[in-house]
Amino acid sequence: MHTIDDLLAIMARLRDPVNGCPWDVKQNFDSIVPYTIEEAYEVADAVDRRDYRDLCGELGDLLLQVVFHARMAEEAGHFRFADVVAAICEKMVTRHPHVFADTGADSADEVLTHWEAIKRQERAARGDEDTSALSGIARGMPEWQRAIKLQKRAASVGFDWPDVQPVFAKLHEEIDEVREAFAQGADPQRLTDEIGDVLFVCANLARHARVDVSAAMRHANAKFERRFRCMETLATEAGSQLASHSLTEQEALWDRVKARE
């Protein structure tokens, strides 16, 4: 049975300038980041499919990314993998006083409130002078996720609709503004602004519904892909290619696929 020490040793060997792997040796933080993000999404995909055997492998791939970054950091004299472990252990203990200290928390929402309060204290201790409720929200995360974070932070100080009905009203308002922009032949910049408002409100709608935006989009993408492939199959079975059908005929095939489901 291999251990984390074995993985660290393998990574060190791969990064050896003389006897290592040429591809691994030439990588840096910037070149590895896209792979780190990709592996995180593959973990999410395995969870979404409830494929636990695949999840085991994908978690290993994601762990490799952590080890890769830590190895490059150690080579540059920044920190080691052990420092990563120590930092996250300390953070987990500090941010869970209801478990490791005497502070109580009766609900998940209360835990999150304490978590954010502790994060603000940590930023203040580091000398971060940004006291906004929106401070500390990373800019590197997917924008839909950042939208949710911004909305949750605003809601934490009371800036939020009391229920979902005003969100629907706002969504209709923003869609009308997009429609108007198209009718006026608006330039791409205005359309970007207006469509962005629609997407921001959609994220807010998902938040009020307690629906994960990423999971919802994965489901929608999977549904579209499944139905589209079925359309292609129906066309092939009829002795033709989907591209040879008119839009009306294609829509009829789409309706047939939907009816089957």
Side-chain angles (χ1 to χ4, degrees):
M1 177 69 71
H2 291 296
T3 68
I4 188 64
D5 288 332
D6 294 324
L7 181 57
L8 292 171
I10 290 170
M11 191 72 253
R13 177 68 182 275
L14 291 173
R15 288 281 296 178
D16 185 278
V18 178
N19 298 312
C21 169
W23 185 90
D24 290 278
V25 171
K26 71 178 291 187
Q27 302 309 309
N28 55 44
F29 292 113
D30 293 325
S31 66
I32 288 298
V33 162
Y35 297 101
T36 307
I37 296 172
E38 179 182 344
E39 296 299 350
Y41 277 114
E42 291 185 0
V43 167
D45 177 60
V47 171
D48 200 45
R49 291 183 285 106
R50 297 296 187 268
D51 188 336
Y52 298 108
R53 182 173 182 176
D54 194 25
L55 176 60
C56 179
E58 297 300 348
L59 286 172
D61 292 342
L62 185 58
L63 176 59
L64 177 64
Q65 296 301 306
V66 177
V67 169
F68 208 139
H69 282 282
R71 180 62 197 178
M72 292 186 292
E74 182 175 352
E75 293 168 357
H78 300 313
F79 57 82
R80 301 173 304 148
F81 180 78
D83 299 316
V84 175
V85 175
I88 191 59
C89 287
E90 181 179 350
K91 180 184 292 184
M92 289 299 98
V93 171
T94 300
R95 294 189 182 178
H96 291 82
H98 52 288
V99 176
F100 300 103
D102 298 328
T103 302
D106 297 325
S107 68
D109 288 340
E110 190 175 351
V111 169
L112 291 176
T113 299
H114 290 325
W115 181 283
E116 293 297 338
I118 294 170
K119 286 178 65 176
R120 287 194 295 271
Q121 293 170 5
E122 292 171 348
R123 289 194 295 270
R126 292 195 302 266
D128 188 343
E129 298 179 355
D130 186 355
T131 59
S132 170
L134 305 180
S135 65
I137 299 178
R139 295 184 179 276
M141 66 178 67
E143 293 300 334
W144 66 262
Q145 188 175 0
R146 193 160 190 273
I148 295 292
K149 289 272 190 179
L150 290 167
Q151 293 164 5
K152 285 184 176 179
R153 289 287 189 84
S156 71
V157 296
F159 190 68
D160 194 15
W161 283 300
D163 56 56
V164 74
Q165 293 307 316
V167 185
F168 281 121
K170 187 64 175 177
L171 181 58
H172 286 297
E173 175 188 328
E174 297 297 351
I175 290 175
D176 287 341
E177 290 182 5
V178 172
R179 185 180 290 113
E180 180 182 352
F182 269 105
Q184 295 176 350
D187 58 66
Q189 182 57 49
R190 183 184 170 192
L191 288 172
T192 297
D193 186 61
E194 298 295 354
I195 292 174
D197 290 343
V198 171
L199 295 175
F200 190 82
V201 177
C202 284
N204 209 343
L205 180 63
R207 181 176 65 87
H208 275 267
R210 297 183 179 273
V211 168
D212 180 82
V213 178
S214 180
M217 282 305 305
R218 285 199 304 274
H219 178 74
N221 287 340
K223 180 168 59 177
F224 177 84
E225 181 178 4
R226 180 179 69 251
R227 290 177 177 177
F228 188 86
R229 288 179 179 274
C230 286
M231 289 169 59
E232 292 176 316
T233 299
L234 289 175
T236 300
E237 290 174 350
S240 61
Q241 297 295 315
L242 184 62
S244 67
H245 290 254
S246 67
L247 178 58
T248 300
E249 292 169 336
Q250 290 181 353
E251 288 177 339
L253 289 174
W254 178 271
D255 289 339
R256 283 178 60 188
V257 172
K258 283 184 63 177
R260 286 184 176 182
E261 294 184 351

